[in-house]
Amino acid sequence: MKIRIAIITALETHKVRHPVLRKGRPLASCAMDGDNKKSTVHWGAYLEHTLVGVVSLLSTPEHLDTQPNCKQIRGMAVLKNYRNKGIGKALILCLENHAQKTTTAYLWMNARKRSIAFYEDLGYCKKGSFFEIEPIGTHGYLYKFLN
């Protein structure tokens, strides 16, 4: 299975965000603050010609600590039938490689509780207590310093 990762548009992320992150909600709910900023980058993972995973990197101020050169990971999603095949990991590693090239020193995100272990396996650390983001669910704050 060969995964191809490419930069995509914010609108293209909706094809995966909707069934994974916003199921049962309007398609418009897939749009996230900062999606269309010039500094935001979106990646898509393809198997053959099918978009199966997405992730976005935003220049958003970090909210629990003051960290220089930080960026936020948002909208990470892999279609259900394609999980546990290395697609999510490939997306995050691509994002981290890009971040290091652009002198980003610190990545952070609000991750769904069920996804915390996935990110911890990739070196992210949880900080603080779990919290609710309505109507989405329970989240944890995760971060990683890049070398």
Tab-separated table of all heavy atoms in Angstrom, residues 4 6 8-27 29-32 42-47 49-56 74-83 87-88 91 112 114:
chain	number	residue	atom	x	y	z
A	4	ARG	N	0.360	8.408	-0.776
A	4	ARG	CA	0.886	9.636	-1.378
A	4	ARG	C	0.298	10.797	-0.599
A	4	ARG	O	-0.908	10.878	-0.402
A	4	ARG	CB	0.495	9.738	-2.854
A	4	ARG	CG	1.023	11.002	-3.535
A	4	ARG	CD	0.670	11.029	-5.007
A	4	ARG	NE	-0.756	11.031	-5.264
A	4	ARG	CZ	-1.511	12.143	-5.322
A	4	ARG	NH1	-0.979	13.325	-5.129
A	4	ARG	NH2	-2.803	12.039	-5.577
A	6	ALA	N	-0.038	14.962	-0.295
A	6	ALA	CA	0.059	16.183	-1.095
A	6	ALA	C	-0.622	17.330	-0.362
A	6	ALA	O	-1.520	17.117	0.455
A	6	ALA	CB	-0.608	15.970	-2.447
A	8	ILE	N	-3.244	20.126	-0.118
A	8	ILE	CA	-4.591	20.253	-0.669
A	8	ILE	C	-5.212	21.563	-0.180
A	8	ILE	O	-4.623	22.261	0.636
A	8	ILE	CB	-5.481	19.044	-0.284
A	8	ILE	CG1	-5.633	18.935	1.239
A	8	ILE	CG2	-4.918	17.759	-0.869
A	8	ILE	CD1	-6.612	17.854	1.679
A	9	THR	N	-6.400	21.863	-0.644
A	9	THR	CA	-7.102	23.072	-0.224
A	9	THR	C	-7.932	22.799	1.032
A	9	THR	O	-8.236	21.642	1.354
A	9	THR	CB	-8.058	23.587	-1.318
A	9	THR	OG1	-9.115	22.626	-1.475
A	9	THR	CG2	-7.328	23.807	-2.638
A	10	ALA	N	-8.334	23.862	1.687
A	10	ALA	CA	-9.205	23.734	2.860
A	10	ALA	C	-10.499	23.028	2.476
A	10	ALA	O	-10.978	22.150	3.206
A	10	ALA	CB	-9.495	25.111	3.454
A	11	LEU	N	-11.055	23.383	1.343
A	11	LEU	CA	-12.311	22.774	0.908
A	11	LEU	C	-12.170	21.269	0.689
A	11	LEU	O	-13.069	20.494	1.013
A	11	LEU	CB	-12.813	23.470	-0.359
A	11	LEU	CG	-14.242	23.184	-0.773
A	11	LEU	CD1	-15.230	23.525	0.343
A	11	LEU	CD2	-14.586	23.960	-2.029
A	12	GLU	N	-11.038	20.849	0.158
A	12	GLU	CA	-10.824	19.413	-0.068
A	12	GLU	C	-10.784	18.618	1.237
A	12	GLU	O	-11.152	17.442	1.256
A	12	GLU	CB	-9.530	19.188	-0.856
A	12	GLU	CG	-9.640	19.602	-2.309
A	12	GLU	CD	-8.312	19.539	-3.037
A	12	GLU	OE1	-7.359	20.215	-2.609
A	12	GLU	OE2	-8.244	18.786	-4.034
A	13	THR	N	-10.366	19.247	2.334
A	13	THR	CA	-10.323	18.527	3.617
A	13	THR	C	-11.712	18.098	4.060
A	13	THR	O	-11.855	17.130	4.803
A	13	THR	CB	-9.695	19.376	4.743
A	13	THR	OG1	-10.543	20.487	5.045
A	13	THR	CG2	-8.294	19.842	4.397
A	14	HIS	N	-12.742	18.790	3.616
A	14	HIS	CA	-14.111	18.502	4.051
A	14	HIS	C	-14.552	17.095	3.667
A	14	HIS	O	-15.389	16.500	4.350
A	14	HIS	CB	-15.078	19.531	3.486
A	14	HIS	CG	-14.811	20.920	3.978
A	14	HIS	ND1	-15.681	21.951	3.758
A	14	HIS	CD2	-13.772	21.459	4.681
A	14	HIS	CE1	-15.195	23.059	4.289
A	14	HIS	NE2	-14.035	22.782	4.849
A	15	LYS	N	-13.991	16.550	2.580
A	15	LYS	CA	-14.361	15.202	2.129
A	15	LYS	C	-14.060	14.148	3.192
A	15	LYS	O	-14.729	13.120	3.252
A	15	LYS	CB	-13.614	14.854	0.841
A	15	LYS	CG	-13.992	15.706	-0.344
A	15	LYS	CD	-13.086	15.415	-1.522
A	15	LYS	CE	-13.314	16.416	-2.625
A	15	LYS	NZ	-12.306	16.308	-3.691
A	16	VAL	N	-13.057	14.408	4.006
A	16	VAL	CA	-12.685	13.467	5.069
A	16	VAL	C	-13.123	14.002	6.436
A	16	VAL	O	-13.587	13.233	7.276
A	16	VAL	CB	-11.171	13.180	5.049
A	16	VAL	CG1	-10.771	12.259	6.197
A	16	VAL	CG2	-10.766	12.560	3.711
A	17	ARG	N	-12.989	15.286	6.655
A	17	ARG	CA	-13.420	15.848	7.942
A	17	ARG	C	-14.888	15.545	8.231
A	17	ARG	O	-15.240	15.235	9.357
A	17	ARG	CB	-13.241	17.368	7.956
A	17	ARG	CG	-11.837	17.859	8.168
A	17	ARG	CD	-11.843	19.376	8.211
A	17	ARG	NE	-10.511	19.943	8.310
A	17	ARG	CZ	-10.258	21.241	8.235
A	17	ARG	NH1	-11.252	22.107	8.060
A	17	ARG	NH2	-9.015	21.683	8.340
A	18	HIS	N	-15.734	15.661	7.217
A	18	HIS	CA	-17.174	15.521	7.451
A	18	HIS	C	-17.553	14.143	8.004
A	18	HIS	O	-18.172	14.063	9.068
A	18	HIS	CB	-17.976	15.867	6.201
A	18	HIS	CG	-19.433	16.002	6.483
A	18	HIS	ND1	-20.350	15.062	6.076
A	18	HIS	CD2	-20.132	16.946	7.169
A	18	HIS	CE1	-21.547	15.424	6.483
A	18	HIS	NE2	-21.448	16.564	7.153
A	19	PRO	N	-17.214	13.047	7.336
A	19	PRO	CA	-17.633	11.750	7.881
A	19	PRO	C	-16.911	11.349	9.167
A	19	PRO	O	-17.428	10.561	9.950
A	19	PRO	CB	-17.325	10.758	6.756
A	19	PRO	CG	-16.315	11.425	5.911
A	19	PRO	CD	-16.558	12.904	6.034
A	20	VAL	N	-15.728	11.902	9.412
A	20	VAL	CA	-14.946	11.508	10.588
A	20	VAL	C	-15.170	12.448	11.770
A	20	VAL	O	-15.410	11.994	12.894
A	20	VAL	CB	-13.437	11.432	10.247
A	20	VAL	CG1	-12.604	11.102	11.477
A	20	VAL	CG2	-13.195	10.413	9.144
A	21	LEU	N	-15.092	13.749	11.532
A	21	LEU	CA	-15.128	14.719	12.626
A	21	LEU	C	-16.468	15.419	12.804
A	21	LEU	O	-16.739	15.967	13.874
A	21	LEU	CB	-14.046	15.790	12.410
A	21	LEU	CG	-12.616	15.279	12.283
A	21	LEU	CD1	-11.676	16.434	11.980
A	21	LEU	CD2	-12.192	14.522	13.528
A	22	ARG	N	-17.286	15.439	11.772
A	22	ARG	CA	-18.545	16.189	11.842
A	22	ARG	C	-19.752	15.373	11.377
A	22	ARG	O	-20.725	15.917	10.885
A	22	ARG	CB	-18.445	17.474	11.005
A	22	ARG	CG	-17.332	18.425	11.411
A	22	ARG	CD	-17.589	19.019	12.777
A	22	ARG	NE	-16.658	20.095	13.093
A	22	ARG	CZ	-15.565	19.971	13.835
A	22	ARG	NH1	-15.256	18.797	14.347
A	22	ARG	NH2	-14.788	21.000	14.082
A	23	LYS	N	-19.681	14.071	11.535
A	23	LYS	CA	-20.751	13.173	11.098
A	23	LYS	C	-22.092	13.604	11.694
A	23	LYS	O	-22.198	13.885	12.879
A	23	LYS	CB	-20.440	11.743	11.533
A	23	LYS	CG	-21.378	10.721	10.970
A	23	LYS	CD	-20.945	9.325	11.349
A	23	LYS	CE	-21.877	8.303	10.724
A	23	LYS	NZ	-21.448	6.950	11.049
A	24	GLY	N	-23.112	13.689	10.819
A	24	GLY	CA	-24.446	14.064	11.255
A	24	GLY	C	-24.668	15.558	11.395
A	24	GLY	O	-25.762	16.002	11.712
A	25	ARG	N	-23.634	16.338	11.153
A	25	ARG	CA	-23.743	17.791	11.218
A	25	ARG	C	-23.657	18.351	9.803
A	25	ARG	O	-23.226	17.666	8.876
A	25	ARG	CB	-22.629	18.348	12.112
A	25	ARG	CG	-22.788	17.833	13.558
A	25	ARG	CD	-21.746	18.327	14.500
A	25	ARG	NE	-21.790	19.777	14.573
A	25	ARG	CZ	-20.722	20.523	14.864
A	25	ARG	NH1	-19.568	19.973	15.112
A	25	ARG	NH2	-20.828	21.827	14.915
A	26	PRO	N	-24.029	19.601	9.622
A	26	PRO	CA	-23.959	20.196	8.280
A	26	PRO	C	-22.527	20.203	7.728
A	26	PRO	O	-21.563	20.336	8.486
A	26	PRO	CB	-24.457	21.624	8.494
A	26	PRO	CG	-25.184	21.605	9.788
A	26	PRO	CD	-24.576	20.524	10.615
A	27	LEU	N	-22.407	20.066	6.421
A	27	LEU	CA	-21.095	20.089	5.773
A	27	LEU	C	-20.335	21.367	6.113
A	27	LEU	O	-19.116	21.348	6.296
A	27	LEU	CB	-21.255	19.943	4.254
A	27	LEU	CG	-19.968	19.795	3.457
A	27	LEU	CD1	-19.190	18.556	3.878
A	27	LEU	CD2	-20.283	19.728	1.971
A	29	SER	N	-20.038	22.777	8.794
A	29	SER	CA	-19.382	22.684	10.098
A	29	SER	C	-17.944	22.182	9.984
A	29	SER	O	-17.176	22.235	10.948
A	29	SER	CB	-20.170	21.769	11.041
A	29	SER	OG	-20.085	20.413	10.639
A	30	CYS	N	-17.548	21.726	8.798
A	30	CYS	CA	-16.175	21.257	8.564
A	30	CYS	C	-15.182	22.407	8.450
A	30	CYS	O	-13.975	22.215	8.626
A	30	CYS	CB	-16.106	20.422	7.297
A	30	CYS	SG	-17.030	18.894	7.413
A	31	ALA	N	-15.678	23.595	8.146
A	31	ALA	CA	-14.795	24.765	8.035
A	31	ALA	C	-14.323	25.149	9.436
A	31	ALA	O	-15.116	25.223	10.373
A	31	ALA	CB	-15.538	25.925	7.394
A	32	MET	N	-13.014	25.355	9.580
A	32	MET	CA	-12.430	25.702	10.872
A	32	MET	C	-11.807	27.085	10.805
A	32	MET	O	-11.308	27.491	9.747
A	32	MET	CB	-11.384	24.666	11.264
A	32	MET	CG	-11.954	23.280	11.443
A	32	MET	SD	-10.687	22.099	11.916
A	32	MET	CE	-11.676	20.623	12.102
A	42	HIS	N	-2.647	22.572	4.446
A	42	HIS	CA	-3.477	21.374	4.553
A	42	HIS	C	-2.820	20.266	3.734
A	42	HIS	O	-2.364	20.506	2.620
A	42	HIS	CB	-4.874	21.615	3.985
A	42	HIS	CG	-5.562	22.811	4.550
A	42	HIS	ND1	-6.220	22.790	5.752
A	42	HIS	CD2	-5.690	24.079	4.070
A	42	HIS	CE1	-6.736	23.986	5.997
A	42	HIS	NE2	-6.416	24.782	4.985
A	43	TRP	N	-2.805	19.061	4.304
A	43	TRP	CA	-2.279	17.902	3.581
A	43	TRP	C	-3.367	16.854	3.449
A	43	TRP	O	-4.206	16.688	4.334
A	43	TRP	CB	-1.111	17.264	4.332
A	43	TRP	CG	0.134	18.055	4.297
A	43	TRP	CD1	1.121	18.017	3.347
A	43	TRP	CD2	0.570	19.018	5.261
A	43	TRP	NE1	2.124	18.900	3.663
A	43	TRP	CE2	1.815	19.528	4.839
A	43	TRP	CE3	0.020	19.520	6.438
A	43	TRP	CZ2	2.515	20.485	5.544
A	43	TRP	CZ3	0.711	20.477	7.152
A	43	TRP	CH2	1.944	20.952	6.704
A	44	GLY	N	-3.303	16.129	2.343
A	44	GLY	CA	-4.188	15.004	2.129
A	44	GLY	C	-3.378	13.759	1.855
A	44	GLY	O	-2.340	13.824	1.189
A	45	ALA	N	-3.837	12.633	2.387
A	45	ALA	CA	-3.203	11.337	2.128
A	45	ALA	C	-4.070	10.582	1.134
A	45	ALA	O	-5.285	10.465	1.317
A	45	ALA	CB	-3.067	10.549	3.431
A	46	TYR	N	-3.432	10.087	0.100
A	46	TYR	CA	-4.134	9.381	-0.970
A	46	TYR	C	-3.648	7.937	-1.064
A	46	TYR	O	-2.448	7.672	-0.947
A	46	TYR	CB	-3.859	10.044	-2.324
A	46	TYR	CG	-4.459	11.409	-2.471
A	46	TYR	CD1	-3.785	12.541	-2.018
A	46	TYR	CD2	-5.703	11.573	-3.068
A	46	TYR	CE1	-4.335	13.806	-2.154
A	46	TYR	CE2	-6.264	12.834	-3.217
A	46	TYR	CZ	-5.570	13.942	-2.752
A	46	TYR	OH	-6.123	15.187	-2.894
A	47	LEU	N	-4.604	7.044	-1.274
A	47	LEU	CA	-4.311	5.678	-1.690
A	47	LEU	C	-4.897	5.576	-3.082
A	47	LEU	O	-6.095	5.813	-3.276
A	47	LEU	CB	-4.955	4.661	-0.756
A	47	LEU	CG	-4.352	4.584	0.644
A	47	LEU	CD1	-5.103	3.560	1.478
A	47	LEU	CD2	-2.882	4.231	0.592
A	49	HIS	N	-6.094	7.016	-6.073
A	49	HIS	CA	-6.568	8.378	-6.309
A	49	HIS	C	-7.631	8.786	-5.297
A	49	HIS	O	-8.355	9.752	-5.514
A	49	HIS	CB	-7.118	8.499	-7.735
A	49	HIS	CG	-6.084	8.202	-8.769
A	49	HIS	ND1	-5.048	9.061	-9.046
A	49	HIS	CD2	-5.904	7.126	-9.569
A	49	HIS	CE1	-4.276	8.527	-9.976
A	49	HIS	NE2	-4.771	7.362	-10.310
A	50	THR	N	-7.715	8.047	-4.191
A	50	THR	CA	-8.744	8.291	-3.184
A	50	THR	C	-8.165	9.040	-1.993
A	50	THR	O	-7.194	8.573	-1.380
A	50	THR	CB	-9.358	6.959	-2.705
A	50	THR	OG1	-9.858	6.246	-3.835
A	50	THR	CG2	-10.471	7.194	-1.705
A	51	LEU	N	-8.763	10.172	-1.665
A	51	LEU	CA	-8.365	10.944	-0.485
A	51	LEU	C	-8.894	10.215	0.740
A	51	LEU	O	-10.105	10.049	0.897
A	51	LEU	CB	-8.938	12.365	-0.557
A	51	LEU	CG	-8.599	13.298	0.604
A	51	LEU	CD1	-7.103	13.560	0.685
A	51	LEU	CD2	-9.369	14.606	0.461
A	52	VAL	N	-7.994	9.764	1.627
A	52	VAL	CA	-8.404	8.946	2.774
A	52	VAL	C	-8.045	9.563	4.120
A	52	VAL	O	-8.505	9.104	5.159
A	52	VAL	CB	-7.833	7.512	2.680
A	52	VAL	CG1	-8.378	6.807	1.440
A	52	VAL	CG2	-6.318	7.508	2.694
A	53	GLY	N	-7.206	10.615	4.120
A	53	GLY	CA	-6.820	11.253	5.369
A	53	GLY	C	-6.431	12.695	5.144
A	53	GLY	O	-5.998	13.064	4.043
A	54	VAL	N	-6.618	13.519	6.183
A	54	VAL	CA	-6.280	14.945	6.097
A	54	VAL	C	-5.742	15.444	7.436
A	54	VAL	O	-6.032	14.874	8.490
A	54	VAL	CB	-7.502	15.809	5.697
A	54	VAL	CG1	-8.015	15.433	4.318
A	54	VAL	CG2	-8.616	15.708	6.718
A	55	VAL	N	-4.977	16.516	7.367
A	55	VAL	CA	-4.516	17.223	8.557
A	55	VAL	C	-4.168	18.648	8.144
A	55	VAL	O	-3.808	18.902	6.989
A	55	VAL	CB	-3.306	16.518	9.223
A	55	VAL	CG1	-2.049	16.607	8.362
A	55	VAL	CG2	-3.060	17.060	10.626
A	56	SER	N	-4.297	19.570	9.101
A	56	SER	CA	-4.009	20.982	8.830
A	56	SER	C	-3.061	21.534	9.882
A	56	SER	O	-3.081	21.106	11.043
A	56	SER	CB	-5.309	21.792	8.840
A	56	SER	OG	-6.200	21.294	7.864
A	74	ARG	N	-4.753	20.830	13.460
A	74	ARG	CA	-6.220	20.763	13.514
A	74	ARG	C	-6.745	19.852	12.416
A	74	ARG	O	-6.092	19.638	11.397
A	74	ARG	CB	-6.852	22.149	13.308
A	74	ARG	CG	-6.683	23.041	14.512
A	74	ARG	CD	-7.624	24.190	14.493
A	74	ARG	NE	-8.972	23.765	14.881
A	74	ARG	CZ	-10.019	24.585	14.885
A	74	ARG	NH1	-9.890	25.835	14.520
A	74	ARG	NH2	-11.203	24.153	15.251
A	75	GLY	N	-7.951	19.369	12.638
A	75	GLY	CA	-8.676	18.649	11.594
A	75	GLY	C	-8.048	17.348	11.145
A	75	GLY	O	-8.258	16.923	10.013
A	76	MET	N	-7.307	16.679	12.020
A	76	MET	CA	-6.701	15.393	11.665
A	76	MET	C	-7.802	14.343	11.566
A	76	MET	O	-8.591	14.170	12.492
A	76	MET	CB	-5.691	15.004	12.745
A	76	MET	CG	-5.138	13.624	12.610
A	76	MET	SD	-4.035	13.495	11.200
A	76	MET	CE	-3.449	11.854	11.456
A	77	ALA	N	-7.867	13.664	10.422
A	77	ALA	CA	-8.905	12.659	10.231
A	77	ALA	C	-8.467	11.645	9.180
A	77	ALA	O	-7.868	12.009	8.171
A	77	ALA	CB	-10.208	13.322	9.789
A	78	VAL	N	-8.798	10.384	9.443
A	78	VAL	CA	-8.581	9.301	8.487
A	78	VAL	C	-9.896	8.540	8.384
A	78	VAL	O	-10.519	8.207	9.400
A	78	VAL	CB	-7.442	8.359	8.940
A	78	VAL	CG1	-7.309	7.173	7.992
A	78	VAL	CG2	-6.113	9.114	9.032
A	79	LEU	N	-10.334	8.290	7.164
A	79	LEU	CA	-11.582	7.555	6.964
A	79	LEU	C	-11.542	6.206	7.673
A	79	LEU	O	-10.493	5.533	7.709
A	79	LEU	CB	-11.851	7.352	5.474
A	79	LEU	CG	-12.139	8.624	4.665
A	79	LEU	CD1	-12.257	8.291	3.179
A	79	LEU	CD2	-13.401	9.319	5.162
A	80	LYS	N	-12.665	5.802	8.218
A	80	LYS	CA	-12.757	4.619	9.085
A	80	LYS	C	-12.129	3.366	8.468
A	80	LYS	O	-11.376	2.652	9.135
A	80	LYS	CB	-14.228	4.357	9.434
A	80	LYS	CG	-14.426	3.265	10.432
A	80	LYS	CD	-15.887	3.136	10.816
A	80	LYS	CE	-16.070	2.055	11.868
A	80	LYS	NZ	-17.465	1.963	12.292
A	81	ASN	N	-12.414	3.077	7.216
A	81	ASN	CA	-11.906	1.856	6.585
A	81	ASN	C	-10.408	1.877	6.297
A	81	ASN	O	-9.855	0.867	5.850
A	81	ASN	CB	-12.661	1.576	5.287
A	81	ASN	CG	-14.106	1.202	5.530
A	81	ASN	OD1	-14.479	0.795	6.634
A	81	ASN	ND2	-14.934	1.349	4.520
A	82	TYR	N	-9.738	3.009	6.563
A	82	TYR	CA	-8.322	3.142	6.253
A	82	TYR	C	-7.467	3.364	7.499
A	82	TYR	O	-6.270	3.634	7.391
A	82	TYR	CB	-8.114	4.287	5.256
A	82	TYR	CG	-8.796	4.010	3.939
A	82	TYR	CD1	-10.075	4.496	3.687
A	82	TYR	CD2	-8.176	3.239	2.967
A	82	TYR	CE1	-10.715	4.231	2.486
A	82	TYR	CE2	-8.802	2.971	1.761
A	82	TYR	CZ	-10.067	3.465	1.528
A	82	TYR	OH	-10.688	3.194	0.343
A	83	ARG	N	-8.043	3.235	8.667
A	83	ARG	CA	-7.299	3.443	9.921
A	83	ARG	C	-6.402	2.245	10.213
A	83	ARG	O	-6.602	1.157	9.693
A	83	ARG	CB	-8.267	3.687	11.071
A	83	ARG	CG	-8.993	5.002	10.897
A	83	ARG	CD	-9.902	5.302	12.056
A	83	ARG	NE	-10.773	6.420	11.664
A	83	ARG	CZ	-11.985	6.604	12.118
A	83	ARG	NH1	-12.499	5.788	13.001
A	83	ARG	NH2	-12.690	7.631	11.703
A	87	ILE	N	-1.500	5.671	7.871
A	87	ILE	CA	-1.855	6.900	7.157
A	87	ILE	C	-1.777	8.117	8.076
A	87	ILE	O	-1.197	9.138	7.718
A	87	ILE	CB	-3.252	6.764	6.514
A	87	ILE	CG1	-3.190	5.683	5.426
A	87	ILE	CG2	-3.735	8.094	5.949
A	87	ILE	CD1	-4.521	5.171	4.967
A	88	GLY	N	-2.351	8.005	9.263
A	88	GLY	CA	-2.294	9.113	10.217
A	88	GLY	C	-0.862	9.447	10.596
A	88	GLY	O	-0.477	10.613	10.645
A	91	LEU	N	0.840	11.311	7.800
A	91	LEU	CA	0.406	12.707	7.742
A	91	LEU	C	1.116	13.546	8.807
A	91	LEU	O	1.598	14.643	8.524
A	91	LEU	CB	-1.106	12.808	7.930
A	91	LEU	CG	-1.963	12.478	6.713
A	91	LEU	CD1	-3.407	12.244	7.111
A	91	LEU	CD2	-1.856	13.584	5.666
A	112	ARG	N	-9.124	14.655	20.452
A	112	ARG	CA	-10.205	13.874	21.054
A	112	ARG	C	-9.604	12.820	21.992
A	112	ARG	O	-8.543	12.251	21.705
A	112	ARG	CB	-11.042	13.208	19.968
A	112	ARG	CG	-11.819	14.231	19.167
A	112	ARG	CD	-12.507	13.592	17.981
A	112	ARG	NE	-13.020	14.645	17.119
A	112	ARG	CZ	-14.267	14.674	16.676
A	112	ARG	NH1	-15.104	13.713	16.969
A	112	ARG	NH2	-14.656	15.663	15.904
A	114	ARG	N	-10.242	9.804	22.569
A	114	ARG	CA	-9.985	8.479	21.989
A	114	ARG	C	-8.722	8.445	21.120
A	114	ARG	O	-8.251	7.369	20.752
A	114	ARG	CB	-11.199	7.989	21.211
A	114	ARG	CG	-11.484	8.787	19.956
A	114	ARG	CD	-12.674	8.202	19.182
A	114	ARG	NE	-12.907	8.923	17.979
A	114	ARG	CZ	-13.911	9.780	17.798
A	114	ARG	NH1	-14.787	9.988	18.745
A	114	ARG	NH2	-14.046	10.399	16.642
